[in-house]
Amino acid sequence: MILPDQACRVNDGMASVRGAGLASTLYAPDQSTRVRLSTPLLNQGQALAPAKWDDAVELGARVIKAVLDRWGADAVGMKFFDHGGGGGGFENNWAVGRFFFTGIGTRTASIHNRPAYNSEVHAAGDAGVAALTNSYLDAQLADTLFIVGANPYETQSNYFLAHMVPNLQGATLETKRASFPGEPVEAARIIIVDPRKTMTVSTSIAAAGTDRVLHLQIEPGSDIALLNAIARVAVHKRWHDVGFIRERTETQTYEAYLRSSLGVDRPIDEFLKEAARTTGLTVAQIEKAASWIASPKAGGARRRTLLHYEKGLIWGLKNYENIAAIVDLGLLTGNVGKPGTGISRLGGHQEGYVRPPYPGGRPALNVDEALRRGEVKCFWIGGCNPVLTTSRAAAFEQNLKERGAIVNEALLATANAPVERRVTAVIEALKRGGMFILGQDIYLTESMKHAHLVLPAAQWGETNLTSINGERRLRLYPKFMDAPGDAIADWAILARFAKKLRTLYLADKNPLMANRFMDFDWRTAEDVFIHARYTFKGDGNDGIEGYAGVTYDLLRKLGNNGIQTPVRLVAGTPVGTVRMHEDGRFSTPSGKARFIPSPQPWPGYAAAVTAQRKKYRFWINNGRSNHIWQTSYHHRHIPFYNDRFPAPYLEMNAHDAKSLGIQSGDMVELHNDVGTVQAMAFVTDAVKKGHTFMLFGQPRGAAGDLISEHVDPSTTIPYYKGVWADIKRIGPMPESARKSSLAPTNIAE
Ligand SMILES: Nc1nc2c(c(=O)[nH]1)N[C@H]1C(S)=C(S)[C@@H](COP(=O)(O)OP(=O)(O)OC[C@H]3O[C@@H](n4cnc5c(=O)[nH]c(N)nc54)[C@H](O)[C@@H]3O)O[C@H]1N2
Ligand SMILES: Nc1nc2c(c(=O)[nH]1)N[C@H]1C(S)=C(S)[C@@H](COP(=O)(O)OP(=O)(O)OC[C@H]3O[C@@H](n4cnc5c(=O)[nH]c(N)nc54)[C@H](O)[C@@H]3O)O[C@H]1N2
Ligand SMILES: [Mo]
């Protein structure tokens, strides 16, 4: 059992259903986690077989070098973790960045959850606003919580339950009074913008009562219209923060925003009616939201609103305009850089993003497309499982399979040959359209099965690792157990390859290339942490990961409360940052925030999406569930979790289910122009007619198999949530699911 820490400010000793089960996910030779990868595996042509590290690195590094020398850096592709906990962390992210960017120099890089190497929130970056601006404390202090496209009960459980819910219950009034003398304080209200009636909605109602909860059950992808309409009302009622706008923002951008996004040259009635039509809401609901967000409190004090968004907006209709619209609304109402406010991603996982700059431009190169075009000769998949999680996932897998098979032949033909001959044979296979695949994971996942070389990683707890949470709280996760067998930390894997490449280039008398792989002589995880600390310059957006003067020793002393990044040295002492932009400055050249105008109040669906919508009956909204972490990489092995959802569920409205003869528990097939996938029907009032919701990225049915390759052209970010398909019943509940409950999951008391 891993015990939650009562003295930790983040969870107050609380544990989510995932956190409380963490210990069961650790490696144990006598438990189901014994299937962890424990040695490198090499495909000798027919199957993966255990190999020694030296042999694995020798072959892998020589293939990479040959590809680099013959086809150039961009022929070496990668898709890698950038989170904090499982994979990633400051140490591993730094090692990956050093290897692929300053080492290889490839632009064919992509982050685990998307086809390119880019920000999820370019618009916030362009506005000069950090991705994670507030402290969790601000959720206790806010007058209004505004949650757009996120389901924090399930995805940010501790933040929601330990910080938001107490405020909704009125349990933080003392803190509020102490923080804001003279201001009227009451329990918070919450506005949740989500097409589904989620457990977040039900829990909020249970905590605050129906009068203080506004659930805006919008039509898919209509957030921009809603956010701009709310802003228009705020301006119309003169609830916007004139002082903040004048002093802290670039005025020309404000004026452009008023005209284009908020359509101030058009009559407000017409504007609001149009927004109501687009969103499926009423004008009264939009006005109520505006009032809860921006109307002054009794006595005239500004309302403190905390604006949060996550994947319903990020993977939404149009990433750039989506994020712009919420950031603009926050700026308009002056809700950033003050207690009880913020404009932030909600998060829901650890982060630790330190890397040298990406060598490509913006929009970043679409790696999935480069793969489809056959431009990638060598592809390294690290700590992610795109076979389940990318768009057009089945085609992605087929590509790995077909092109990998060409290399398998070469490996089989040279099974007992010296490494030089094997590499020559592999390169010949690559010339014939093959692709050499390296994989780096802790399990033999759906993606790893296609790798020619599988590299076993140590996970958190098996190596020292640091990361930040959603309020930038930097903490050390110390090593407390050994990794299985020969598994080693991710940074150490990259270091082994880098050192080998350096040796090979030195032997080639090519010091220029050899020197690109120079700085990998780290002895410990802390060496990597400190190396990153000295060299990391912030990656364009907001530099929230800076941590001057922080050492493992300091982090050990600070324990689970850690220190909030960015950390500066003040007279030699590291000082953290509770809240971003509290000094009134933003990360733009002028130091003032920028409004990001969108060309019109709502851009509409892209052509590829419209075609799907027209053709298929159901919207297949998709995302996460409380019990399951990501692709279930641990949970599929642990009965407690696996038995809860033996197949991915598909939430369906009772009316729709009935019309198709479907009952809860039935197996159904979803089908569209991209692919086919199976799921288990779950009839619920959480979704409206014509809407469904599927657990994403599951081994027994991946929503990605239905999702088109469409991306927002200005950011290369997919619309994962935007998929339409037809549904049919294929059979009764599978035997394996008989024990799993079909009771509603969105009832709270
Ligand atoms: N239990 C659990 N927690 C997790 C994870 C997990 O796998 N399991 N994963 C972690 C990770 S990596 C991430 S990124 C976060 C994601 O955290 P969230 O973003 O909270 O999770 P999602 O379920 O992907 O999406 C949130 C909501 O977006 C809604 N949505 C879909 N389309 C739209 C739309 O057009 N507009 C609006 N307004 N809403 C829409 C969906 O109905 C859904 O309820 O969760 C983290 N936390
Ligand atoms: N349809 C649809 N698709 C989506 C989304 C969606 O909402 N809908 N959401 C997107 C989002 S936000 C995300 S985050 C992605 C998730 O997609 P992925 O990132 O592909 O999924 P994960 O399960 O997080 O993958 C983590 C992998 O790392 C391995 N791992 C764990 N710890 C370690 C470690 O210490 N080292 C190494 N090397 N490996 C480790 C695990 O075994 C697992 O295979 O999916 C994206 N795709
Ligand atoms: Mo994510």
Side-chain angles (χ1 to χ4, degrees):
M1 180 80 195
I2 292 174
L3 290 175
D5 180 354
Q6 309 279 340
C8 174
R9 265 172 239 155
V10 177
N11 62 357
D12 288 344
M14 221 162 23
S16 69
V17 65
R18 304 176 302 288
L22 269 179
S24 66
T25 68
L26 299 173
Y27 172 74
D30 58 349
Q31 302 285 324
S32 48
T33 52
R34 66 179 165 271
V35 296
R36 279 279 303 276
L37 291 168
S38 59
T39 66
L41 301 173
L42 172 60
N43 191 327
Q44 294 289 25
Q46 275 161 335
L48 287 162
K52 293 206 169 60
W53 269 114
D54 282 347
D55 296 335
V57 175
E58 187 77 46
L59 179 72
R62 280 173 185 269
V63 171
I64 290 172
K65 176 173 181 296
V67 169
L68 194 53
D69 292 346
R70 172 171 254 281
W71 285 286
D74 287 346
V76 181
M78 67 84 136
K79 198 181 264 298
F80 247 96
F81 52 63
D82 79 335
H83 277 184
F90 284 78
E91 298 75 10
N92 298 325
N93 283 333
W94 180 249
V96 168
R98 281 300 275 195
F99 185 82
F100 285 101
F101 295 164
T102 44
I104 307 267
T106 182
R107 293 178 305 157
T108 315
S110 54
I111 293 179
H112 67 110
N113 60 2
R114 48 197 189 266
Y117 206 90
N118 46 8
S119 169
E120 283 178 7
V121 295
H122 271 313
D126 291 350
V129 175
L132 304 168
T133 59
N134 63 288
S135 260
Y136 290 170
L137 174 65
D138 292 314
Q140 300 188 18
L141 298 176
D143 296 306
T144 301
L145 301 163
F146 184 51
I147 312 284
V148 185
N151 185 10
Y153 172 83
E154 315 227 15
T155 59
Q156 256 290 40
S157 311
N158 285 324
Y159 179 24
F160 181 70
L161 292 171
H163 303 271
M164 297 189 194
V165 166
N167 191 358
L168 294 171
Q169 290 169 322
T172 64
L173 291 178
E174 282 308 311
T175 325
K176 284 182 166 185
R177 259 182 226 116
S179 306
F180 313 128
E183 257 182 56
V185 295
E186 32 179 271
R189 296 160 199 257
I190 187 168
I191 307 169
I192 298 155
V193 185
D194 196 307
R196 295 191 300 145
K197 181 171 175 263
T198 59
M199 187 63 178
T200 302
V201 174
S202 310
T203 310
S204 298
I205 292 172
T210 43
D211 291 352
R212 310 184 81 80
V213 180
L214 179 60
H215 178 204
L216 302 177
Q217 215 165 348
I218 58 168
E219 284 305 308
S222 60
D223 304 81
I224 302 167
L226 170 68
L227 294 163
N228 286 334
I230 293 173
R232 177 75 194 265
V233 174
V235 171
H236 184 74
K237 302 262 191 188
R238 308 207 166 280
W239 291 336
H240 53 310
D241 192 335
V242 178
F244 178 88
I245 295 167
R246 193 179 46 232
E247 282 152 41
R248 306 290 182 215
T249 70
E250 293 182 6
T251 322
Q252 340 68 284
T253 64
Y254 174 58
E255 276 152 17
Y257 166 66
L258 287 181
R259 275 196 306 279
S260 57
S261 309
L262 307 194
V264 290
D265 299 328
R266 293 168 52 197
I268 183 159
D269 290 352
E270 177 194 309
F271 190 85
L272 293 185
K273 270 191 205 135
E274 189 180 289
R277 253 198 322 276
T278 307
T279 55
L281 303 171
T282 63
V283 171
Q285 283 175 306
I286 295 171
E287 287 173 339
K288 189 169 179 183
S291 159
W292 285 19
I293 290 170
S295 69
K297 298 198 274 187
R302 280 215 73 80
R303 195 168 292 279
R304 297 170 188 271
T305 298
L306 174 57
L307 298 89
H308 269 310
Y309 60 95
E310 197 49 61
K311 289 295 151 21
L313 212 52
I314 290 170
W315 306 142
L317 173 92
K318 203 161 181 323
N319 169 273
Y320 194 79
E321 279 81 356
N322 271 354
I323 308 306
I326 192 160
V327 170
D328 288 341
L329 177 60
L331 294 174
L332 181 79
T333 52
N335 276 309
V336 67
K338 289 185 307 197
T341 73
I343 317 166
S344 309
R345 275 193 43 218
L346 196 51
H349 53 77
Q350 297 287 311
E351 327 222 351
Y353 190 90
V354 284
R355 284 186 185 157
Y358 170 64
R362 182 178 151 191
L365 189 141
N366 186 325
V367 171
D368 284 19
E369 258 174 24
L371 278 163
R372 280 195 279 276
R373 287 196 302 262
E375 290 163 12
V376 185
K377 301 291 175 194
C378 169
F379 189 47
W380 195 328
I381 304 175
C384 59
N385 193 353
V387 163
L388 301 182
T389 57
T390 195
S391 16
R392 262 188 84 188
F396 180 95
E397 178 170 27
Q398 195 55 28
N399 189 324
L400 297 186
K401 207 184 270 176
E402 281 168 15
R403 298 187 53 210
I406 304 175
V407 172
N408 287 346
E409 286 167 24
L411 290 172
L412 185 62
T414 55
N416 300 311
V419 69
E420 291 87 348
R421 273 222 11 242
R422 303 199 81 186
V423 173
T424 311
V426 168
I427 297 302
E428 287 306 313
L430 303 188
K431 285 190 206 161
R432 292 194 306 272
M435 181 162 74
F436 188 81
I437 305 164
L438 295 102
Q440 178 171 333
D441 205 288
I442 59 173
Y443 289 109
L444 192 64
T445 65
E446 290 71 18
S447 294
M448 290 305 112
K449 283 183 181 144
H450 299 292
H452 300 103
L453 207 52
V454 177
L455 310 164
Q459 69 157 346
W460 70 279
E462 300 162 354
T463 171
N464 285 320
L465 185 127
T466 52
S467 64
I468 57 172
N469 74 350
E471 54 174 346
R472 297 162 278 102
R473 204 177 277 279
L474 171 57
R475 293 174 289 191
L476 173 69
Y477 295 77
K479 172 174 172 166
F480 56 82
M481 64 182 282
D482 289 331
D486 294 335
I488 57 176
D490 289 286
W491 61 263
I493 297 178
L494 274 312
R496 284 192 89 130
F497 275 80
K499 283 192 227 168
K500 176 54 74 178
L501 278 161
R502 178 166 164 78
T503 312
L504 293 172
Y505 275 114
L506 284 175
D508 247 10
K509 306 226 177 329
N510 185 345
L512 213 63
M513 282 307 293
N515 287 349
R516 287 167 56 165
F517 297 98
M518 205 156 57
D519 297 331
F520 289 85
D521 287 322
W522 308 305
R523 284 164 306 112
T524 65
E526 188 173 12
D527 286 351
V528 196
F529 180 73
I530 301 292
H531 188 195
R533 188 185 89 188
Y534 279 122
T535 1
F536 178 63
K537 294 282 186 296
D539 204 53
N541 275 343
D542 46 50
I544 53 174
E545 277 95 353
Y547 51 99
V550 180
T551 60
Y552 276 12
D553 253 354
L554 176 68
L555 291 176
R556 275 190 199 102
K557 282 196 202 103
L558 295 171
N560 286 326
N561 288 326
I563 185 167
Q564 285 175 281
T565 61
V567 180
R568 298 167 296 131
L569 278 176
V570 178
T573 307
V575 176
T577 309
V578 172
R579 201 169 280 115
M580 300 296 290
H581 311 300
E582 217 156 9
D583 59 359
R585 293 189 60 78
F586 294 86
S587 354
T588 58
S590 68
K592 292 186 172 191
R594 280 184 188 143
F595 286 89
I596 310 284
S598 50
Q600 58 275 318
W602 189 59
Y605 297 100
V609 178
T610 306
Q612 251 192 13
R613 280 186 84 224
K614 282 216 177 100
K615 208 156 156 205
Y616 303 103
R617 179 170 162 197
F618 292 102
W619 175 37
I620 316 297
N621 182 1
N622 57 87
R624 294 158 172 82
S625 198
N626 195 6
H627 317 69
I628 300 298
W629 183 252
Q630 301 285 82
T631 53
S632 295
Y633 52 88
H634 285 310
H635 291 159
R636 65 175 82 169
H637 302 295
I638 300 162
F640 174 76
Y641 297 98
N642 185 61
D643 296 354
R644 180 67 188 92
F645 299 126
Y649 61 77
L650 181 76
E651 293 183 355
M652 290 187 81
N653 180 281
H655 174 274
D656 291 332
K658 195 163 167 227
S659 78
L660 296 171
I662 292 169
Q663 288 185 339
S664 262
D666 284 353
M667 288 305 291
V668 295
E669 185 181 278
L670 293 79
H671 168 86
N672 69 6
D673 53 333
V674 179
T676 303
V677 72
Q678 293 190 0
M680 199 172 93
F682 175 58
V683 180
T684 165
D685 70 351
V687 289
K688 299 200 279 194
K689 261 198 251 174
H691 292 189
T692 69
F693 180 86
M694 181 171 171
L695 186 60
F696 95 107
Q698 292 308 294
R700 296 176 199 93
D705 286 346
L706 300 171
I707 300 172
S708 75
E709 65 263 42
H710 163 74
V711 294
D712 179 350
S714 46
T715 57
T716 326
I717 297 271
Y719 182 14
Y720 286 130
K721 307 292 192 207
V723 43
W724 279 260
D726 282 341
I727 299 172
K728 67 171 191 222
R729 181 179 185 275
I730 52 172
M733 185 185 231
E735 196 52 45
S736 62
R738 297 274 173 209
K739 282 186 293 184
S740 78
S741 166
L742 295 164
T745 54
N746 61 347
I747 293 179
E749 297 183 343

